[in-house]
Amino acid sequence: GAGVSQSPSNKVTEKGKDVELRCDPISGHTALYWYRQSLGQGLEFLIYFQGNSAPDKSGLPSDRFSAERTGGSVSTLTIQRTQQEDSAVYLCASSPGVDTDTQYFGPGTRLTVL
Amino acid sequence: EDQVTQSPEALRLQEGESSSLNCSYTVSGLRGLFWYRQDPGKGPEFLFTLYSAGEEKEKERLKATLTKKESFLHITAPKPEDSATYLCAVKPAGGSYIPTFGRGTSLIVHP
């Protein structure tokens, strides 16, 4: 079946612009994670959605970052007033449920802020 | 604070030369330890989950083992197609579903 998809695959923007990154999880997966991966760094957790519960936003680095998940499926990560340090690969992962530990990752969106 | 340290950062092997990757962790109660493989330009691909000390999992040329402080990913007779970055992550017990990832080990296997 279809895996996790993300769009766009690459995004180049100018400093100060807003960007939206999209994640389509595997159908039926209730858990969805956003991570950021910078060169030579581990995956940095950003935000976690589980079903209809309030999201865990503890990893968002600043109030310029926000995310939503509509209808328990598609998620959008928005970065406002982008900065050069926001340049990274943004990865989305989904998981079947709370008690299921395996995460299925999308291919990521490479964001470059000039 | 949960911590995961992977070593070495990079490893070059000749085809057929077996070796091991290390993942040392500090966590207040372990729910699970995970190994992922990541190819360039792609998202991580799940390999194994280990839940308790002494547990072992195998898949083709890979075997993952777990102790109370570390995990090893043993690669037996590697092939060039095993070249990738291998990531380790831990999830704490007690209700948090947020894993902590290490920085990974970049493995290159030369033919």
Side-chain angles (χ1 to χ4, degrees), chain A residues 6-41:
Chain A
Q6 293 186 245
S7 61
S9 56
N10 282 283
K11 177 71 176 179
V12 180
T13 191
E14 295 180 347
K15 177 181 174 181
K17 300 282 190 180
D18 297 352
V19 295
E20 285 190 352
L21 312 180
R22 177 187 169 105
C23 171
D24 283 87
I26 293 172
S27 178
H29 281 195
T30 60
L32 187 148
Y33 300 77
W34 281 99
Y35 296 91
R36 179 168 69 176
Q37 187 174 36
S38 303
L39 192 63
Q41 302 296 313

Side-chain angles (χ1 to χ4, degrees), chain B residues 7-42:
Chain B
S7 61
E9 290 185 11
L11 181 62
R12 293 177 179 268
L13 300 173
Q14 289 297 126
E15 184 172 2
E17 179 186 2
S18 301
S19 188
S20 297
L21 313 182
N22 178 264
C23 172
S24 297
Y25 64 91
T26 303
V27 65
S28 54
L30 179 69
R31 173 181 171 86
L33 184 141
F34 311 89
W35 283 99
Y36 289 84
R37 169 191 171 129
Q38 186 173 24
D39 292 297
K42 296 188 176 181

Side-chain angles (χ1 to χ4, degrees), chain A residues 33 35 37 40-43 45 48 56 91 98-103 105-107, chain B residues 31 34 36 38 41-46 49 51 87 91 97-99 101-103:
Chain A
Y33 300 77
Y35 296 91
Q37 187 174 36
Q41 302 296 313
L43 270 70
F45 163 75
Y48 164 67
D56 182 335
L91 290 161
V98 169
D99 295 323
T100 305
D101 293 311
T102 302
Q103 295 185 35
F105 283 83
Chain B
R31 173 181 171 86
F34 311 89
Y36 289 84
Q38 186 173 24
K42 296 188 176 181
E45 175 188 351
F46 171 76
T49 306
Y51 291 104
L87 300 173
K91 264 191 187 179
Y97 299 99
I98 312 303
F101 281 81
R103 295 186 178 188

Side-chain angles (χ1 to χ4, degrees), chain A residues 21-108:
Chain A
L21 312 180
R22 177 187 169 105
C23 171
D24 283 87
I26 293 172
S27 178
H29 281 195
T30 60
L32 187 148
Y33 300 77
W34 281 99
Y35 296 91
R36 179 168 69 176
Q37 187 174 36
S38 303
L39 192 63
Q41 302 296 313
L43 270 70
E44 175 189 5
F45 163 75
L46 297 176
I47 189 169
Y48 164 67
F49 296 90
Q50 172 54 48
N52 295 321
S53 301
D56 182 335
K57 305 179 181 180
S58 60
L60 294 179
S62 78
D63 58 9
R64 297 186 295 105
F65 288 72
S66 63
E68 63 177 19
R69 189 178 184 191
T70 54
S73 180
V74 172
S75 179
T76 302
L77 177 69
T78 301
I79 308 173
Q80 296 179 311
R81 305 181 303 282
T82 53
Q83 304 295 312
Q84 289 185 332
E85 59 262 31
D86 298 334
S87 296
V89 175
Y90 290 81
L91 290 161
C92 172
S94 71
S95 182
V98 169
D99 295 323
T100 305
D101 293 311
T102 302
Q103 295 185 35
Y104 300 85
F105 283 83

